[in-house]
């Protein structure tokens, strides 16, 4: 029972520090050196190495699905509008 309680507590702790969300906007900047995408309005997102940056360009309207982990918005998916 202790193992189950510990696992449940760890799961709740992780769930409270990360959540999925969406953002819509126009890409203002893509910084390949820091793997960061910024929307017009200033909202920034961290990209993983799996994203083909050549598929996205400044001025493109997108919907971004992301998780926020420790205050950093990590991109899960980018959908062109």
């Amino acid at each position: 029972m202790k193992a189950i309680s510990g696992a449940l507590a760890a799961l709740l702790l992780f769930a409270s520090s990360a959540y999925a969300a969406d953002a819509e906007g126009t890409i203002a900047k893509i910084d390949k050196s820091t793997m960061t995408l910024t929307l017009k309005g200033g909202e920034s997102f961290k990209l993983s190495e799996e994203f083909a940056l050549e598929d996205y360009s400044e001025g493109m309207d997108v919907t971004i699905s992301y998780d926020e982990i420790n205050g950093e918005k990590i991109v899960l998916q980018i959908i062109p509008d």
Side-chain angles (χ1 to χ4, degrees):
M1 186 67 170
K2 271 188 172 180
I4 293 172
S5 296
L8 181 59
L11 180 61
L12 290 174
L13 178 62
F14 177 75
S16 67
S17 65
Y19 65 91
D22 291 330
E24 294 181 11
T26 303
I27 297 174
K29 182 179 180 183
I30 299 173
D31 187 333
K32 293 179 182 180
S33 65
T34 61
M35 293 298 287
T36 303
L37 180 147
T38 304
L39 296 178
K40 287 185 179 175
E43 195 171 13
S44 292
F45 303 88
K46 188 75 174 170
L47 299 163
S48 68
E49 303 276 332
E50 68 189 41
F51 284 97
L53 296 181
E54 61 273 1
D55 292 344
Y56 310 101
S57 60
E58 294 175 5
M60 180 181 280
D61 291 326
V62 294
T63 299
I64 298 174
S65 295
Y66 65 93
D67 275 342
E68 188 164 338
I69 301 172
N70 297 325
E72 190 170 56
K73 296 174 183 174
I74 310 297
V75 175
L76 302 172
Q77 183 178 28
I78 302 173
I79 304 167
D81 290 338

